């Protein structure tokens, strides 16, 4: 029963996605003055989940495993280039960072609630 709890795997994947996205966004901010640097982001979690589900259906590994199917694709974000060719907008990166933080908080809340439900089921309310 405990070895295949998909909600926990989903929450874990969501948290990893948010962390990976935050890492890419921090690289963008660090390169805000780099000549010809193109801002990047991570694909939305829904797309990564759909791709992982397709991979799982083809390989038969059950879905939400921590396999190579959970590599998050990096995409170039659209933006107006500055005179030096850089497309990083600090304001846009800050908004995206806030989204990543909210996604991570949602993932940890889901994980926490699932654990609370399992504890209640087992009669351990603490």
């Amino acid at each position: 029963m405990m070895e295949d709890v998909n909600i926990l795997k989903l929450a874990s994947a969501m948290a990893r996605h948010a962390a990976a996205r935050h890492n890419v966004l921090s690289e963008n901010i660090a390169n805000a003055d780099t000549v010809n640097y193109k801002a990047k982001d991570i694909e939305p979690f829904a797309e990564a989940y759909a791709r992982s589900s397709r991979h799982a259906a083809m390989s038969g590994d059950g879905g939400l495993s921590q396999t190579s199917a959970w590599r998050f694709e990096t995409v170039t974000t659209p933006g107006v280039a500055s005179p030096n060719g850089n497309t990083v907008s600090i304001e846009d990166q800050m908004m995206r960072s806030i989204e990543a933080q909210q996604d991570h908080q949602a993932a940890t809340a889901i994980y926490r609630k699932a654990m609370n439900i399992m504890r209640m089921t087992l009669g351990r309310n603490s």
Side-chain angles (χ1 to χ4, degrees):
M1 176 184 139
M2 299 302 278
E3 64 273 354
D4 191 30
V5 183
N6 283 337
I7 190 73
L8 297 178
K9 292 178 184 178
L10 179 64
S12 175
M14 288 173 65
R16 284 194 316 271
H17 177 269
R21 186 173 187 212
H22 196 74
N23 186 45
V24 168
L25 297 173
S26 65
E27 287 177 17
N28 289 344
I29 292 170
N31 287 293
D33 292 330
T34 303
V35 176
N36 293 323
Y37 184 83
K38 305 299 180 215
K40 298 176 222 147
D41 202 348
I42 299 289
E43 67 184 327
F45 181 74
E47 290 178 19
Y49 178 76
R51 187 171 31 81
S52 174
S53 296
R54 284 191 303 273
H55 174 78
M58 289 187 284
S59 67
D61 72 356
L64 297 166
S65 65
Q66 296 182 12
T67 64
S68 61
W70 277 110
R71 275 184 272 124
F72 303 113
E73 301 292 326
T74 304
V75 294
T76 303
T77 58
V80 177
S82 64
N84 71 357
N86 189 304
T87 63
V88 175
S89 164
I90 296 295
E91 294 83 6
D92 180 54
Q93 298 305 306
M94 295 306 293
M95 294 302 293
R96 290 173 188 263
S97 292
I98 291 168
E99 289 174 6
Q101 180 183 13
Q102 291 171 339
D103 291 345
H104 191 271
Q105 289 172 344
T108 56
I110 291 168
Y111 197 89
R112 191 176 324 111
K113 290 294 181 182
M115 292 300 292
N116 287 342
I117 290 169
M118 284 193 280
R119 283 187 193 107
M120 286 179 23
T121 302
L122 296 172
R124 299 177 188 155
N125 294 332
S126 57

